[in-house]
Every structure is written in C-alpha cells, then in structure tokens.
Amino acid sequence: MEYFQLKNIPNMKYMRKYSDNIQYGTAGFRTKANALEHVLYRMGLLAVLRSKVKNAAIGLMITASHNIESDNGVKLIDPAGEMLEAAWERIATNLVNVEDRNLVSTIKHIIEEENINMSVDAIVITGRDTRESSPTLLNAAVMGIKALYGIVQDFGIVTTPQLHYLVVCTNTKSNYGDPTLHGYYIKISEAFKYVRQKQINNGQYVAELLLDAANGVGAIAAKEFQKYLGTTLAINIYNDGYGKLNFMCGADFVKVEQVPPVNFHAKRNFRSVSIDGDADRIVYFYVDEYEKFHILDGDKIATLIAEYLKELLKESHLSFQLGLVQTAYANGSSTDYILNVLQIPAVCVPTGIKHLHNKALEFDIGIYFEANGHGTVLFKETVIKTIKEAVTNPERSTNEKEAASKLLNIINMINQTVGDALSDMLLVETILHAKGWDIMEWEKMYDDLPNKQIKMKVYDKSIITTTNVGTQCITPEGLQDAIDEIVSQYKRGRCFVRPSGTEDIVRIYAECENLCDLDKLIKDVASVVYDCAGGIGPKPQVF
Ligand code: G16
C-alpha cells in the first residue's frame, strides 16, 4: 500500500474533544451536535474506505431524525441502500473512539485487514437534514472524505430516504431510477397519478389530508411533491419549518404521547398524518367528534398494505410468498390479524431498520414496518420480472392484466431502498382510494390492544442489556424476574424495557387487554426499572 495517501489525515481542527466513548447505535452515531465534529471527520474517512471496498458509491447522511434539535448524527448507507453492514459498525465505533495519535495507524490497520485496494476511486454521496448544526458537520465529513482523496457528491438538504434512493440509483446506473431529486419525485408521483387516474375521490375517500411535517426536511419534500401531484391530492402542511424541529410534533411525539401535534388544526374525523424530522417515519391519526384521539401507526399501515397486495395478487392470479416483519413494539392485535386473518407469516426482529430490512429480503415480497411508522416493502427482482410479463401477456384476461399493471405502479410508488414517510403516505392514500375508505373505516380492520410507551432517564442506560429481540433483560440481575411477576397479573399483558440506541434514555413498552389496567402495569414496571437501573429525577408516579 502507498502510505503517502494517508499524509493528509491528521487535522488539528477535528481532534477528538471528549473522552466519552460513542457507539454506532440503532441508526448510526447520534448525540449532542457539539460532540460530533471529529466523528463526522472520521466517518468521512471511513466512507471512502467503504466505497473502495465495495467499489461503489456510499451514502453519508447527517441527521438525528426524531431526536431534539440540539442533537445530530450520521449514518452510512451501503451501495444497495441498506444500512452499514454490522461488522463495519464495529470498525466505525473503534475508529471514532481511538486517540488522535492512533488515527493514522487505525486507518492503516483497516486498509490491511479489509484488504482495501487504495487505487480504486471512492464516491461518497452526502446529504443533511435542516438542523442548524448540519452544515458544520457536513464540512467535517467532506474534509475527511477529501483527506483520503474521495469524490464528494453533495445533494444538500434532503430527506434520509431521498439519500438512500440517490445512492441506489447511482450504483444501479439508473436501473432503479434517475439519480436526481427530480428523478425521485417523478418516479413516485407518476406511479401515484397513474393508479389514481381521473377519479380523484372515491366513496368515503376524499383526496385531501393534513400533514404535520415536524418542522423538518419533510416539509420541503412534501411541498415539492405537491407540485408534481397537482390536483390528485391536496396536502395541507403544518409544522412546516417555522417552529422547533420535532418539538411536540412529528411522528415520534404523536406515537409516543398519543396526542395530536402542536400548531395543528385537527378537523374532526379528518385524515391526518405525522412524519418525523428526516421524513423516514409516518403515522396516521385523527380526532373524533368527542375529541378522542385515534392513532393508526406502522402496524396499521403494514396490515393495510399487506391486505391490499394480497388482493392484487389474487386478482392478477399471481402467487408469491408474502411475509411481514415487525419488532416487539408491534401491537399484539396486529400480529394476530396478520397471522389469523391475513394468514401471512409474521416475523419479529430486534429494533432497528437494518434488522427488518435484512429479514424482509428473505421473502418474495417482504413488508416491514416498525410500530413507530418506519417501513417499506421489498420486491425480489424475479417478482418484478414476472409481474412485468403478466402485464403484457396476451393469454391473460383484461382483469388480470389490469391488476398486474396496478401492482407494477405500486412497486414504482414504493421507495424500496428504505422506509420513506412520503412514499408510504402516497401508497396508503392509493389503497384507501381504491377501497373507498375514510380513516375510520381503515381503523376498523382490527382493534389495537391498549398500549403505552414511556421514556426514562437513568444514570447509565448501558447497565440494561437485553436478549430475545430486546424483550428480556439480562442485566441488571433480578429486573426481568420483577417485570415478569408484574406482567403475569394482567390479561394479555406484555411489557419490556430496553435501552434506546438513539437517545440517552430507556424505553418501556406495555400493552394489556384492559385500558383501565394499562397505567398501573406500566407504572409498576417503571418503578422497578427506576430502582434497579438507577432512574434520574422523581420516581414515576402517574402518567
Ligand atoms: C431509528 C431507527 C429505527 C428505530 C428508532 C428508535 O429511527 O431507524 O429503526 O426504531 O431509531 O430506536 P431506539 O429505540 O433504539 O431509540 P429514526 O427515525 O430516529 O432514524
């Protein structure tokens, strides 16, 4: 290897300022923005190495998604749009935490261990969300990329799913779509308009919705989509950037708190949508005539999609293996519905899109959704080929060909590279339109078990370790036994605790059959977590 290429790496501006170690978490490195400059510099270096190993373009997205404005983060996107491979997460964590004096030797070590051919050109495609700290962090990443002679293709302010799309299109030489933002909007919106045709409303379905954009980049993308969609769908945007990012608004807030966002004029029984700070998650909700709040989360979206795809496959007389991937946060009722009513296999994996995406790839058509609204559908290449053939096959009936053609457009409407709030929204709108449903009708598919999630601050979240897809605590000793004892007292009770991989908190999730028991269940579990794991602040009493 020619080590002269490493001579630019030492950089006084991006020295490690903090002694605390930082981990590659559920979705990359995420912490206070002011602790991240050296992390971004080093991730720029790593992105170049990854690009050389893969001989393909790599994505680098600067965002902390649903986190508060003062946080920020970075994630690397592998060539096919998937999250960075697990083995490289470990390499990334090590690289980010080594002492400055060991930085060059660590890079040398990675090059040797991974057998990296340094003469291969490296391309890193960068993007960032709307956070104030993002431009500075982008500069740090760009300096890292350039220190190793990588080529930067910067797309500026984009949603996370847009960056995934751009990476895949670049690497597939336009097979998936045109590698531009225009290409992204046109691909998805044309498919949407094609399926909708001229009849904009249908039955109970009205082509208008209210969108809470979390004061993030999703507002920009939604406005852009509106231009491409014309009159086929009216999107009324709230929290479009003038307020604080993710503050009492956005998909995470709405899902966890189970209330409408602030600065939002909820019309009674009207379809409303909330997305998060980088537009990769979506939940639907409405407020009824009695002011009661109703949420239709990722589980409800997944089941709606699964049912519709099943119907289209039946109409087109095509048979593929469908599967649905969830996490432990999925409502028990949704899993029952998938298994017993839809009769589709449902698989549970640990939290984190990387786990869901990989599992979904095992099915011909893999639908994956986290209850928090992060998800998409993956179609195998062979499936797409068969559907294409069915559309033009003269031996097939007109009905079959029409259903196959709808399927093909549905595939184009879906951002298969990662969960995409706005593409998911257009898919849901398409299905509701096809069924002639309003949001209340959709909600009737099944009744959620009453459920609640809380976030708790503890001195050190790492003392909680888990197994069994994050549902069983291994440490601290005794905690799981105490939780099991409490949960056993509730009909259809389920409760688990795990440290967040994106925030400095632990998450506690509970569900049970009776709403009146739910508060006591989660309060009692929170109390033992507080005692065993070192809770901070007042002990949880009421919620
Ligand atoms: C990220 C991940 C999701 C995960 C969420 C919360 O979402 O992409 O898969 O569910 O974090 O993770 P945790 O419970 O570990 O904090 P986002 O939208 O913040 O990028």
Side-chain angles (χ1 to χ4, degrees):
M1 201 201 66
E2 313 227 29
Y3 288 113
F4 77 89
Q5 291 182 67
L6 310 186
K7 71 178 187 313
N8 295 329
I9 290 179
N11 188 316
M12 293 299 285
K13 194 169 172 206
Y14 300 116
M15 305 279 268
R16 188 169 173 238
K17 291 194 194 93
Y18 300 87
S19 55
D20 286 357
N21 272 5
I22 168 168
Q23 301 292 321
Y24 200 99
T26 312
F29 294 106
R30 222 177 261 194
T31 188
K32 296 271 155 267
N34 57 15
L36 277 169
E37 265 189 280
H38 81 280
V39 174
L40 266 293
Y41 179 72
R42 294 176 183 197
M43 286 293 274
L45 298 170
L46 191 71
V48 172
L49 299 183
R50 186 70 183 154
S51 175
K52 288 178 187 289
V53 163
K54 291 292 193 182
N55 197 6
I58 292 294
L60 185 152
M61 180 71 194
I62 297 169
T63 180
S65 192
H66 74 275
N67 293 47
I68 54 174
E69 162 84 43
S70 55
D71 285 353
N72 214 328
V74 55
K75 48 189 160 195
L76 292 191
I77 300 163
D78 261 352
E82 70 276 43
M83 297 294 186
L84 184 65
E85 185 187 311
W88 275 67
E89 286 188 2
R90 289 187 286 278
I91 295 175
T93 299
N94 181 44
L95 180 67
V96 156
N97 293 311
V98 292
E99 298 293 334
D100 292 300
R101 63 174 186 279
N102 295 330
L103 184 57
V104 174
S105 60
T106 306
I107 294 281
K108 270 187 198 166
H109 183 73
I110 300 171
I111 293 169
E112 281 159 13
E113 280 288 297
E114 300 298 320
N115 206 5
I116 299 174
N117 178 354
M118 292 299 281
S119 62
V120 168
D121 283 340
I123 301 175
V124 183
I125 301 178
T126 57
R128 60 184 168 95
D129 70 12
T130 52
R131 279 163 216 263
E132 221 179 290
S133 55
S134 292
T136 308
L137 295 178
L138 176 66
N139 282 343
V142 168
M143 292 308 286
I145 297 165
K146 291 193 170 160
L148 272 181
Y149 306 95
I151 299 161
V152 180
Q153 283 179 11
D154 182 41
F155 280 88
I157 295 177
V158 287
T159 69
T160 295
Q162 284 175 336
L163 197 75
H164 282 253
Y165 167 91
L166 293 163
V167 170
V168 173
C169 293
T170 303
N171 286 322
T172 56
K173 307 266 177 295
S174 299
N175 221 352
Y176 186 71
D178 187 23
T180 61
L181 285 178
H182 171 68
Y184 166 87
Y185 289 115
I186 202 98
K187 180 179 185 205
I188 295 173
S189 58
E190 283 304 305
F192 175 82
K193 288 194 285 190
Y194 178 87
V195 180
R196 179 144 305 198
Q197 306 264 315
K198 290 211 164 48
Q199 193 194 348
I200 287 173
N201 300 319
N202 182 30
Q204 299 300 310
Y205 176 86
V206 179
E208 183 180 1
L209 58 79
L210 312 179
L211 172 72
D212 155 34
N215 290 313
V217 57
I220 299 170
K223 284 177 192 166
E224 207 53 36
F225 258 124
Q226 184 69 84
K227 291 184 202 156
Y228 286 83
L229 294 170
T231 54
T232 49
L233 179 67
I235 309 170
N236 303 300
I237 309 175
Y238 296 89
N239 293 318
D240 69 344
Y242 288 99
K244 229 172 165 182
L245 177 73
N246 294 328
F247 180 68
M248 296 179 77
C249 60
D252 194 62
F253 172 82
V254 170
K255 166 71 179 148
V256 174
E257 304 298 329
Q258 305 199 13
V259 291
V262 291
N263 304 322
F264 190 85
H265 304 291
K267 292 192 212 162
R268 299 296 159 253
N269 298 331
F270 205 85
R271 230 170 40 258
S272 307
V273 173
S274 205
I275 62 177
D276 72 339
D278 63 342
D280 60 3
R281 289 198 214 172
I282 177 168
V283 293
Y284 273 73
F285 65 91
Y286 73 95
V287 177
D288 69 18
E289 60 272 37
Y290 307 106
E291 302 284 323
K292 188 170 174 248
F293 175 81
H294 300 248
I295 187 151
L296 289 87
D297 61 7
D299 302 336
K300 275 262 156 67
I301 296 173
T303 45
L304 180 77
I305 295 172
E307 184 170 284
Y308 185 62
L309 289 179
K310 227 185 135 179
E311 283 165 14
L312 282 184
L313 289 174
K314 196 170 165 205
E315 277 173 44
S316 54
H317 283 106
L318 289 167
S319 163
F320 300 115
Q321 180 205 21
L322 268 173
L324 216 151
V325 188
Q326 302 186 300
T327 70
Y329 291 103
N331 196 279
S333 291
S334 74
T335 315
D336 288 349
Y337 187 83
I338 296 159
L339 293 173
N340 303 326
V341 180
L342 296 179
Q343 305 200 321
I344 293 174
V347 191
C348 185
V349 298
T351 293
I353 251 17
K354 53 196 171 198
H355 303 295
L356 289 107
H357 194 97
N358 288 344
K359 193 75 202 170
L361 284 169
E362 292 176 13
F363 298 97
D364 288 343
I365 302 178
I367 303 160
Y368 71 81
F369 260 91
E370 293 184 296
N372 63 24
H374 200 150
T376 188
V377 189
L378 307 180
F379 298 83
K380 282 209 167 115
E381 274 306 321
T382 47
V383 170
I384 299 175
K385 191 166 168 261
T386 310
I387 296 173
K388 276 185 183 159
E389 281 162 9
V391 174
T392 50
N393 185 343
E395 282 164 25
R396 287 187 171 270
S397 71
T398 313
N399 277 354
E400 285 173 347
K401 282 194 277 193
E402 264 176 24
S405 161
K406 253 188 213 159
L407 264 172
L408 208 53
N409 280 284
I410 296 280
I411 294 170
N412 281 332
M413 200 184 299
I414 293 170
N415 185 348
Q416 290 192 62
T417 66
V418 80
D420 182 331
L422 294 171
S423 136
D424 288 341
M425 178 183 89
L426 294 179
L427 177 60
V428 169
E429 293 299 309
T430 299
I431 301 172
L432 296 181
H433 173 264
K435 288 179 174 286
W437 282 0
D438 57 19
I439 192 160
M440 282 88 73
E441 204 55 42
W442 171 20
E443 192 185 25
K444 286 183 199 152
M445 280 178 81
Y446 63 86
D447 292 328
D448 272 326
L449 284 175
N451 64 92
K452 197 164 226 167
Q453 198 198 123
I454 58 170
K455 303 180 182 188
M456 186 189 287
K457 277 235 165 238
V458 295
Y459 279 106
D460 176 9
K461 67 176 180 175
S462 71
I463 76 160
I464 299 186
T465 55
T466 62
T467 181
N468 195 11
V469 295
T471 59
Q472 299 274 310
C473 293
I474 305 171
T475 60
E477 211 182 311
L479 176 58
Q480 191 56 49
D481 289 342
I483 295 173
D484 289 345
E485 167 64 27
I486 295 166
V487 174
S488 66
Q489 296 161 31
Y490 296 89
K491 214 166 165 197
R492 297 185 78 189
R494 203 163 64 86
C495 187
F496 61 90
V497 182
R498 56 173 281 281
S500 160
T502 57
E503 296 177 69
D504 192 14
I505 48 138
V506 294
R507 297 191 194 283
I508 306 175
Y509 174 83
E511 66 182 37
C512 61
E513 190 166 277
N514 299 315
L515 179 60
C516 54
D517 291 335
L518 186 62
D519 276 1
K520 179 151 169 49
L521 165 60
I522 201 161
K523 191 180 91 175
D524 288 351
V525 171
S527 173
V528 297
V529 175
Y530 187 95
D531 291 342
C532 292
I536 296 177
K539 198 166 183 175
Q541 292 298 329
V542 279
F543 302 100

Short mmCIF file of all heavy atoms in Angstrom, two decimals, residues 26-27 30 64-67 75 83 276 278 280-281 329 351-353 370 372 374 498-503 507, ligand 1:
data_model
loop_
_atom_site.label_atom_id
_atom_site.label_comp_id
_atom_site.label_asym_id
_atom_site.label_seq_id
_atom_site.Cartn_x
_atom_site.Cartn_y
_atom_site.Cartn_z
N THR A 26 -28.59 2.36 17.03
CA THR A 26 -29.65 1.79 16.21
C THR A 26 -29.58 2.34 14.78
O THR A 26 -29.83 1.62 13.82
CB THR A 26 -31.04 2.14 16.80
OG1 THR A 26 -31.03 1.84 18.19
CG2 THR A 26 -32.15 1.38 16.12
N ALA A 27 -29.24 3.60 14.66
CA ALA A 27 -29.20 4.22 13.32
C ALA A 27 -28.00 5.14 13.19
O ALA A 27 -28.13 6.31 12.87
CB ALA A 27 -30.50 4.97 13.08
N ARG A 30 -25.28 9.06 17.16
CA ARG A 30 -26.25 10.11 17.46
C ARG A 30 -26.02 10.64 18.87
O ARG A 30 -26.02 9.87 19.83
CB ARG A 30 -27.66 9.53 17.38
CG ARG A 30 -28.62 10.45 16.69
CD ARG A 30 -29.96 9.80 16.58
NE ARG A 30 -30.18 9.21 15.26
CZ ARG A 30 -31.38 8.82 14.85
NH1 ARG A 30 -32.43 8.94 15.62
NH2 ARG A 30 -31.52 8.29 13.64
N ALA A 64 -30.29 13.57 12.89
CA ALA A 64 -30.62 12.84 14.12
C ALA A 64 -32.12 12.54 14.10
O ALA A 64 -32.74 12.37 15.15
CB ALA A 64 -30.23 13.61 15.36
N SER A 65 -32.68 12.55 12.90
CA SER A 65 -34.05 12.09 12.69
C SER A 65 -35.05 12.62 13.72
O SER A 65 -35.33 13.80 13.74
CB SER A 65 -34.03 10.56 12.66
OG SER A 65 -35.24 10.07 12.21
N HIS A 66 -35.55 11.74 14.61
CA HIS A 66 -36.62 12.15 15.53
C HIS A 66 -36.09 12.87 16.76
O HIS A 66 -36.88 13.40 17.55
CB HIS A 66 -37.43 10.93 15.98
CG HIS A 66 -36.71 10.07 16.97
ND1 HIS A 66 -35.82 9.10 16.60
CD2 HIS A 66 -36.72 10.07 18.32
CE1 HIS A 66 -35.32 8.51 17.70
NE2 HIS A 66 -35.86 9.09 18.76
N ASN A 67 -34.77 12.90 16.96
CA ASN A 67 -34.22 13.49 18.20
C ASN A 67 -34.42 15.01 18.25
O ASN A 67 -34.72 15.64 17.23
CB ASN A 67 -32.71 13.22 18.29
CG ASN A 67 -32.39 11.76 18.47
OD1 ASN A 67 -32.93 10.92 17.77
ND2 ASN A 67 -31.50 11.45 19.38
N LYS A 75 -25.22 8.60 9.59
CA LYS A 75 -25.26 7.17 9.26
C LYS A 75 -24.69 6.97 7.86
O LYS A 75 -24.83 7.84 6.99
CB LYS A 75 -26.66 6.59 9.39
CG LYS A 75 -27.80 7.34 8.74
CD LYS A 75 -29.13 6.71 9.17
CE LYS A 75 -30.28 7.67 8.98
NZ LYS A 75 -31.50 7.29 9.66
N MET A 83 -28.54 -0.32 5.39
CA MET A 83 -27.70 0.29 6.43
C MET A 83 -26.33 -0.39 6.43
O MET A 83 -26.21 -1.55 6.01
CB MET A 83 -28.35 0.10 7.80
CG MET A 83 -29.68 0.79 7.92
SD MET A 83 -29.50 2.58 7.83
CE MET A 83 -31.17 3.05 8.19
N ASP A 276 -41.55 12.31 10.69
CA ASP A 276 -40.53 12.75 11.63
C ASP A 276 -39.52 13.68 10.96
O ASP A 276 -39.67 14.04 9.79
CB ASP A 276 -39.85 11.55 12.31
CG ASP A 276 -38.95 10.78 11.35
OD1 ASP A 276 -39.13 10.91 10.12
OD2 ASP A 276 -38.05 10.05 11.82
N ASP A 278 -36.60 13.64 9.65
CA ASP A 278 -35.92 13.40 8.37
C ASP A 278 -36.81 12.62 7.40
O ASP A 278 -36.33 12.09 6.40
CB ASP A 278 -34.57 12.69 8.56
CG ASP A 278 -34.72 11.31 9.16
OD1 ASP A 278 -35.78 11.02 9.73
OD2 ASP A 278 -33.77 10.50 9.08
N ASP A 280 -38.47 9.76 7.48
CA ASP A 280 -38.43 8.32 7.19
C ASP A 280 -39.47 7.55 7.99
O ASP A 280 -39.53 6.33 7.91
CB ASP A 280 -37.02 7.72 7.37
CG ASP A 280 -36.46 7.88 8.77
OD1 ASP A 280 -37.17 8.39 9.65
OD2 ASP A 280 -35.29 7.48 8.97
N ARG A 281 -40.29 8.25 8.78
CA ARG A 281 -41.34 7.56 9.54
C ARG A 281 -42.67 8.27 9.34
O ARG A 281 -42.70 9.50 9.18
CB ARG A 281 -41.08 7.69 11.02
CG ARG A 281 -39.95 6.92 11.54
CD ARG A 281 -40.19 6.87 13.01
NE ARG A 281 -38.97 6.89 13.75
CZ ARG A 281 -38.95 7.01 15.06
NH1 ARG A 281 -40.09 7.16 15.73
NH2 ARG A 281 -37.82 6.98 15.70
N TYR A 329 -42.32 -3.98 19.44
CA TYR A 329 -43.24 -2.87 19.69
C TYR A 329 -44.56 -3.03 18.92
O TYR A 329 -45.48 -2.25 19.11
CB TYR A 329 -42.60 -1.53 19.30
CG TYR A 329 -41.45 -1.12 20.19
CD1 TYR A 329 -40.14 -1.27 19.78
CD2 TYR A 329 -41.69 -0.61 21.47
CE1 TYR A 329 -39.08 -0.92 20.61
CE2 TYR A 329 -40.63 -0.24 22.30
CZ TYR A 329 -39.34 -0.40 21.86
OH TYR A 329 -38.29 -0.05 22.69
N THR A 351 -35.23 -4.19 17.30
CA THR A 351 -35.47 -2.82 16.83
C THR A 351 -34.32 -2.35 15.94
O THR A 351 -33.16 -2.64 16.20
CB THR A 351 -35.58 -1.89 18.06
OG1 THR A 351 -36.76 -2.25 18.76
CG2 THR A 351 -35.65 -0.43 17.66
N GLY A 352 -34.67 -1.59 14.91
CA GLY A 352 -33.65 -1.06 14.00
C GLY A 352 -33.93 -1.54 12.60
O GLY A 352 -34.06 -2.73 12.35
N ILE A 353 -34.01 -0.57 11.71
CA ILE A 353 -34.40 -0.84 10.34
C ILE A 353 -33.49 -1.87 9.68
O ILE A 353 -33.92 -2.68 8.87
CB ILE A 353 -34.41 0.52 9.58
CG1 ILE A 353 -35.83 0.94 9.26
CG2 ILE A 353 -33.61 0.56 8.35
CD1 ILE A 353 -36.92 0.33 9.94
N GLU A 370 -41.98 -0.92 11.54
CA GLU A 370 -41.95 -0.78 12.98
C GLU A 370 -43.23 -0.04 13.38
O GLU A 370 -43.76 0.76 12.58
CB GLU A 370 -40.74 0.04 13.42
CG GLU A 370 -39.44 -0.69 13.14
CD GLU A 370 -38.22 0.07 13.66
OE1 GLU A 370 -37.96 1.18 13.16
OE2 GLU A 370 -37.55 -0.45 14.54
N ASN A 372 -43.53 2.37 15.14
CA ASN A 372 -43.29 3.82 15.11
C ASN A 372 -43.42 4.42 13.70
O ASN A 372 -43.24 5.62 13.51
CB ASN A 372 -41.94 4.17 15.73
CG ASN A 372 -40.75 3.58 14.98
OD1 ASN A 372 -40.84 3.28 13.79
ND2 ASN A 372 -39.63 3.42 15.66
N HIS A 374 -41.86 3.31 10.73
CA HIS A 374 -40.71 3.20 9.82
C HIS A 374 -40.82 1.90 9.04
O HIS A 374 -40.73 0.83 9.63
CB HIS A 374 -39.44 3.20 10.66
CG HIS A 374 -38.22 3.57 9.89
ND1 HIS A 374 -37.14 4.19 10.45
CD2 HIS A 374 -37.92 3.42 8.60
CE1 HIS A 374 -36.22 4.40 9.54
NE2 HIS A 374 -36.67 3.93 8.40
N ARG A 498 -35.91 -1.66 27.23
CA ARG A 498 -34.62 -1.76 26.53
C ARG A 498 -34.00 -0.36 26.43
O ARG A 498 -34.72 0.66 26.40
CB ARG A 498 -34.76 -2.39 25.13
CG ARG A 498 -35.74 -1.71 24.22
CD ARG A 498 -35.70 -2.28 22.82
NE ARG A 498 -34.60 -1.79 22.04
CZ ARG A 498 -34.58 -0.60 21.45
NH1 ARG A 498 -35.60 0.24 21.54
NH2 ARG A 498 -33.53 -0.22 20.74
N PRO A 499 -32.65 -0.32 26.39
CA PRO A 499 -32.02 0.99 26.24
C PRO A 499 -32.19 1.46 24.80
O PRO A 499 -32.04 0.66 23.86
CB PRO A 499 -30.54 0.72 26.55
CG PRO A 499 -30.35 -0.74 26.30
CD PRO A 499 -31.65 -1.42 26.47
N SER A 500 -32.49 2.74 24.62
CA SER A 500 -32.61 3.28 23.27
C SER A 500 -31.23 3.29 22.61
O SER A 500 -30.23 3.53 23.27
CB SER A 500 -33.18 4.70 23.34
OG SER A 500 -32.88 5.39 22.15
N GLY A 501 -31.21 3.08 21.32
CA GLY A 501 -29.95 3.18 20.58
C GLY A 501 -29.83 4.51 19.87
O GLY A 501 -28.92 4.72 19.06
N THR A 502 -30.76 5.42 20.15
CA THR A 502 -30.70 6.74 19.50
C THR A 502 -30.77 7.89 20.51
O THR A 502 -30.43 9.01 20.16
CB THR A 502 -31.87 6.93 18.52
OG1 THR A 502 -33.10 6.75 19.23
CG2 THR A 502 -31.80 5.96 17.36
N GLU A 503 -31.26 7.62 21.71
CA GLU A 503 -31.39 8.68 22.71
C GLU A 503 -30.81 8.18 24.03
O GLU A 503 -30.73 6.97 24.26
CB GLU A 503 -32.86 9.02 22.95
CG GLU A 503 -33.59 9.60 21.77
CD GLU A 503 -35.06 9.83 22.11
OE1 GLU A 503 -35.35 10.72 22.91
OE2 GLU A 503 -35.90 9.09 21.58
N ARG A 507 -36.42 2.79 27.04
CA ARG A 507 -37.83 2.77 26.62
C ARG A 507 -38.55 1.65 27.36
O ARG A 507 -38.02 0.54 27.47
CB ARG A 507 -37.95 2.49 25.13
CG ARG A 507 -37.33 3.54 24.26
CD ARG A 507 -37.71 3.32 22.78
NE ARG A 507 -36.86 4.10 21.92
CZ ARG A 507 -36.98 5.42 21.73
NH1 ARG A 507 -37.93 6.08 22.33
NH2 ARG A 507 -36.16 6.06 20.92
C1 G16 B 1 -34.24 4.98 14.29
C2 G16 B 1 -34.22 3.63 13.63
C3 G16 B 1 -35.50 2.88 13.91
C4 G16 B 1 -35.73 2.80 15.42
C5 G16 B 1 -35.67 4.19 16.05
C6 G16 B 1 -35.71 4.13 17.55
O1 G16 B 1 -35.28 5.73 13.75
O2 G16 B 1 -34.05 3.80 12.24
O3 G16 B 1 -35.40 1.61 13.35
O4 G16 B 1 -36.98 2.23 15.69
O5 G16 B 1 -34.45 4.81 15.69
O6 G16 B 1 -34.63 3.35 18.02
P1 G16 B 1 -34.29 3.22 19.53
O7 G16 B 1 -35.50 2.63 20.18
O8 G16 B 1 -33.10 2.34 19.61
O9 G16 B 1 -34.05 4.61 20.05
P2 G16 B 1 -35.08 7.27 13.36
O10 G16 B 1 -36.36 7.62 12.70
O11 G16 B 1 -34.82 8.03 14.62
O12 G16 B 1 -33.89 7.26 12.44
#
